[in-house]
Amino acid sequence: MASLMALSMTVAGCAEVQRAAEDVARQSGNPRLAGAIHGVGNVVGSLFPIGYEEESSIGQAIALQVVARYGGVVDQPELVRYVNLVGRAVANTSDRPDIPYRVAILDHESINAFAAPAGYIFVTRGLLRQIKNEAELAAVLGHEIAHVSEKHILDVIQRSKRLAGVTEAGLSYATSNPAAFKGVIDGAVKKLLDEGLDQEKETDADTVGEVFAARVGYDAEAYVGLLMRLRDLKGDDRALFKTHPNFSARIEAVQKTIRTKRLVSNGLVLQERFSRMTKRV
Amino acid sequence: MIPPRSFWIPLIALWIGLFVWGTEAWADTVYVQAKTAQLRAGKTSLDAVVGNVKFGDALEVVGRDGSWMEVKTSAGARGWIFANKTSTSKPSGGNDTLARLGQSMRGGDASATTASAGARGLDKASEGYANRAGVSARDREVVDRMTAYQIPDQDVEEFMREGGLGEYAK
């Protein structure tokens, strides 16, 4: 901890020195030197994680594309409020409860769910129709909240940035190089909506999300039942597997989590409340 | 026949030792793992609220009983908290020191989001993205409303109480 604090203080000091050096170079009529000093700052800064303010910009931009690609959202205030209440109940005792989470229902018949950074969560109308009770909904939302808390999309962005040799991110992109910012967002959207995240990240979100839902008291076995029904889907509904493959391995991982973490398998299901609130889906 | 003093003294010493060790063993520290949490006078959700704690607060564990923990805050307040709202490791949260330093080094225009974070409206960066990507006014309005969407914490508590979730388990 002491070494981390020392490093923080050193880097904070460097940031001040960097800015002062940039100013001196600019005032002495050497903009190229000022630019080079700024570039060094960007390179060092790119080694650090993305903070919430930058994450929020990225999350909003990705959310814009998700809404555009899926043709808008369901405008049923009672239903939207219910889904958000379940999400908040799960998020409040997640590993990252200190950021706002909002859930929107995409007005689309396909079966899927997505999470963008900074707590933007989407569930399709088609997936809501497959869900039978509140415990299953809580597990789905727990999975998406886990993608946010584990910063899975941000990780993809950081990696793609490094591969492309890009050193800036977030707001510095958006203001100094909007074309590059657009490239990063478009790449993340492609990964999220077309290719799907790595299997490792999906399994991680399953197990972490299952723990989040169980902490609130939802039945841990409910998610297994939903995953089994989704695995057995036929026809067009199988489009889900493009972004979420290998359900059998996921079911096995969730069952292992229930056993090893001793999650409650006779928890709450709340089928009646779910049916009442979602009858107009 | 009463046992000799040499029998009792080690026994009492052992008893005192076990008592002290036991007290020390409970003196663990846990951290609030929920956005907010309430300290109650007893170990049920029906007991009166005696204090409020927030995400990341350190609590000294005084005792445990089932799903509840008796804790003491750094200010000396004492009460019971639902154990699932705590963690044994200090949560890092969403915006740690290293992330803030990184943004500072990258020279990000923090003012572009500071004002709008959590408030209504797309921020400057995503607005710029929407213009470049040709996102429609309708879709911008959807994300705008989504960003501004809020449910008060007390409504979430009421929802959990109705369902018997968390500390309201029946």
Side-chain angles (χ1 to χ4, degrees), chain B:
Chain B
M1 186 184 122
I2 299 169
R5 187 185 289 183
S6 59
F7 173 82
W8 286 111
I9 288 174
L11 201 64
I12 290 168
L14 180 67
W15 182 80
I16 291 171
L18 281 173
F19 177 78
V20 171
W21 177 82
T23 309
E24 284 299 310
W26 283 128
D28 299 333
T29 298
V30 293
Y31 300 89
V32 179
Q33 178 66 72
K35 193 178 165 199
T36 57
Q38 294 165 327
L39 296 185
R40 294 182 181 275
K43 52 202 171 197
T44 75
S45 60
L46 299 174
D47 285 292
V49 174
V50 294
N52 289 290
V53 285
K54 60 180 192 310
F55 180 63
D57 283 355
L59 305 170
E60 185 190 321
V61 180
V62 181
R64 296 166 204 255
D65 193 340
S67 307
W68 292 80
M69 263 181 202
E70 190 177 14
V71 294
K72 206 161 87 177
T73 67
S74 56
R78 200 167 164 144
W80 291 84
I81 186 169
F82 188 60
N84 276 5
K85 287 190 168 179
T86 67
S87 162
T88 51
S89 53
K90 188 169 170 58
S92 61
N95 200 11
D96 56 30
T97 312
L98 287 179
R100 281 197 297 276
L101 280 171
Q103 183 166 329
S104 162
M105 292 297 289
R106 289 189 292 268
D109 178 10
S111 62
T113 49
T114 306
S116 59
R120 187 173 175 82
L122 297 177
D123 64 29
K124 212 160 87 180
S126 46
E127 189 73 55
Y129 175 80
N131 290 337
R132 278 189 163 260
V135 176
S136 73
R138 186 200 68 165
D139 295 337
R140 291 181 200 208
E141 171 65 18
V142 166
V143 178
D144 192 47
R145 270 190 284 123
M146 194 177 175
T147 303
Y149 192 81
Q150 284 180 348
I151 295 180
D153 288 347
Q154 64 204 56
D155 289 14
V156 180
E157 284 295 311
E158 186 51 39
F159 177 78
M160 292 179 69
R161 191 195 313 271
E162 272 173 22
L165 292 163
E167 64 194 272
Y168 305 103
K170 286 148 191 160

Side-chain angles (χ1 to χ4, degrees), chain A residues 9-281:
Chain A
M9 286 167 70
T10 306
V11 177
C14 287
E16 293 301 318
V17 172
Q18 175 207 331
R19 264 184 230 112
E22 265 183 72
D23 289 344
V24 169
R26 213 167 278 119
Q27 282 159 16
S28 61
N30 198 339
R32 284 179 68 183
L33 179 60
I37 294 168
H38 183 76
V40 169
N42 279 337
V43 171
V44 176
S46 71
L47 300 173
F48 290 87
I50 293 172
Y52 183 73
E53 288 175 4
E54 290 176 293
E55 181 181 350
S56 182
S57 298
I58 293 167
Q60 278 190 5
I62 292 175
L64 284 164
Q65 280 293 5
V66 173
V67 172
R69 289 268 296 266
Y70 276 78
V73 295
V74 170
D75 187 19
Q76 291 175 228
E78 286 279 300
L79 176 62
V80 172
R81 179 178 160 82
Y82 170 68
V83 173
N84 271 280
L85 280 166
V86 176
R88 282 281 303 277
V90 175
N92 275 1
T93 46
S94 71
D95 290 344
R96 204 180 170 202
D98 58 333
I99 63 164
Y101 291 87
R102 320 84 167 170
V103 188
I105 305 165
L106 295 166
D107 196 4
H108 204 273
E109 289 310 312
S110 63
I111 298 167
N112 223 328
F114 307 101
Y120 290 87
I121 292 171
F122 299 92
V123 182
T124 61
R125 185 193 283 276
L127 177 57
L128 263 188
R129 285 197 176 130
Q130 293 291 327
I131 293 172
K132 303 284 184 214
N133 57 54
E134 194 172 301
E136 290 182 4
L137 175 61
V140 167
L141 296 177
H143 174 104
E144 300 307 328
I145 289 164
H147 278 312
V148 177
S149 71
E150 300 292 304
K151 302 188 178 180
H152 285 157
I153 287 283
L154 291 182
D155 186 40
V156 168
I157 289 174
Q158 294 268 46
R159 260 191 292 164
S160 67
K161 228 159 44 79
R162 277 186 214 118
L163 284 174
V166 174
T167 56
E168 295 177 276
L171 293 176
S172 40
Y173 252 167
T175 50
S176 69
N177 194 346
F181 180 71
K182 183 174 179 297
V184 165
I185 298 301
D186 290 348
V189 169
K190 187 177 175 205
K191 185 80 180 159
L192 185 69
L193 301 186
D194 301 330
E195 297 167 0
L197 297 172
D198 303 342
Q199 180 71 31
E200 192 188 313
K201 285 187 166 54
E202 290 301 339
T203 309
D204 187 34
D206 275 339
T207 52
V208 173
E210 179 77 341
V211 172
F212 292 167
R215 271 184 197 160
V216 196
Y218 287 111
D219 191 317
E221 291 286 347
Y223 193 40
V224 177
L226 174 66
L227 290 176
M228 283 177 168
R229 289 203 307 280
L230 294 178
R231 182 186 59 185
D232 298 337
L233 287 172
K234 302 276 188 287
D236 292 345
D237 291 341
R238 291 185 63 81
L240 164 70
F241 301 115
K242 197 173 68 167
T243 51
H244 292 81
N246 207 348
F247 267 62
S248 294
R250 290 177 60 186
I251 291 166
E252 210 172 287
V254 170
Q255 285 172 324
K256 190 178 167 197
T257 304
I258 294 171
R259 280 195 311 274
T260 54
K261 303 237 178 231
R262 295 179 182 170
L263 302 182
V264 182
S265 54
N266 60 344
L268 293 166
V269 172
L270 299 178
Q271 186 160 8
E272 191 279 323
R273 178 158 80 173
F274 178 83
S275 302
R276 180 163 35 91
M277 299 306 296
T278 61
K279 62 187 170 202
R280 287 181 55 226
V281 174

